[in-house]
Amino acid sequence: MNKVLTLCGAALLMVCCGPKVNEKTFVANGNPLITDKFTADPAPLVHEGTLYLYVGHDEYYEGQDTAHGGREFNITEWLCYSTKDMVTWTDHGAVLCPTDFAWAVGEAWASQVVEKDGKFYYFTTVQAGEPFVGKAVGVAVSDSPTGPFVDAIGAPLVHDKMTDNGARGWWNDIDPTVLIDGDEAWVCWGNGTCFLAKLKPNMTELDGDIRVLDMPRFVEGPWLHKRDSLYYLTYAGMGYGRENIQYATATSMEGPWTYRGELTGMAENSFTIHPGIAHFNGKDYLFYHNAVLTLDSIPGAIGRRSVCVNELHYDDAGLMLPVEQR
Ligand code: FUB
């Protein structure tokens, strides 16, 4: 009996980030959208009349303000929120943690969740241990948008040895975005270099070569979406000492891509910015983050950001109009 109880306890401990029983609701009151936690790297998913929003939980630690080289970020769980009207939101808590990947050794960076054939695939950035080393792209899967998610592969989908060690080296394999386009699925990611590959129908293997897209001033945080027959690649580009959001369009995922310039200015008080785009209830939205929130007297900073959302508009030619952050 004791042995059974011990095993159950161990199993519960191993499920770090399952669905929570104590889901809370809150009413959005402008930006930042989430005001009881620092949050970053928003990734919306619209599914059956609900918008799910996945974010990284930026957590404060002592010494953070003098850290650098990626250590200024401390994200040990990914959170999920949902809404049916962009006003009332449900906080589902942490739905995935890096500890849910046996090969991970550290924290969590940006992600995107997509749905295919009733399964939800969480493409995310994980710090990998030996033999992979460096930031890697992992995939977790669930039957529900709020988890529990489990590692779908048992190893990274993309790791450092699979891509050129160009700009940023060990952390160029971050920030996956996935577009499902009919029978095809594409994954794009990168820091310093913008990588693109096809996914096999199982969503857990690359199909063919990894390509490099030449995106002007590309830094990180790509986001793929399609509207009518136009493809959009929106990303955090280098602005004027800090990142802003820029984008390119193409009439085919095979390219060529046409650079369309800046979509936003730089985020207030934040070196980084990170786009997430969704069409929901007849409107278009751009999610991003800044760092204006102060929590328990701890001010926002590079690793203590806040997710925001503003409406997005297109012109008659399908180009996205500049978004004012407010
Ligand atoms: O949140 C950590 C990193 O900061 C993300 O992976 C980047 O996109 C940037 O927002």
Side-chain angles (χ1 to χ4, degrees), residues 130-148:
E130 293 286 356
F132 305 112
V133 187
K135 293 279 186 249
V137 175
V139 190
V141 66
S142 175
D143 292 330
S144 158
T146 55

Side-chain angles (χ1 to χ4, degrees), residues 29-111:
N29 184 22
N31 284 324
L33 182 60
I34 298 154
T35 53
D36 66 341
K37 291 182 190 82
F38 294 117
T39 55
D41 304 326
L45 165 72
V46 174
H47 179 69
E48 293 183 348
T50 298
L51 184 143
Y52 295 88
L53 182 65
Y54 302 88
V55 302
H57 183 187
D58 267 354
E59 296 151 88
Y60 171 72
Y61 72 93
E62 216 164 307
Q64 188 175 42
D65 288 335
T66 52
H68 52 85
R71 285 180 294 274
E72 58 272 55
F73 302 110
N74 179 36
I75 305 175
T76 64
E77 56 187 14
W78 293 278
L79 311 174
C80 177
Y81 297 83
S82 70
T83 184
K84 287 187 182 301
D85 57 11
M86 296 298 283
V87 177
T88 302
W89 290 79
T90 301
D91 175 350
H92 299 279
V95 293
L96 184 67
C97 294
T99 46
D100 294 330
F101 296 94
W103 47 269
V105 292
E107 46 140 13
W109 284 7
S111 315

Side-chain angles (χ1 to χ4, degrees), residues 40-41 58 73 75 109-110 174-175 220-221 272-274 289 305:
D41 304 326
D58 267 354
F73 302 110
I75 305 175
W109 284 7
I174 68 168
D175 295 1
E220 56 188 354
T272 69
I273 193 166
H274 190 109
H289 61 232
R305 296 160 291 178

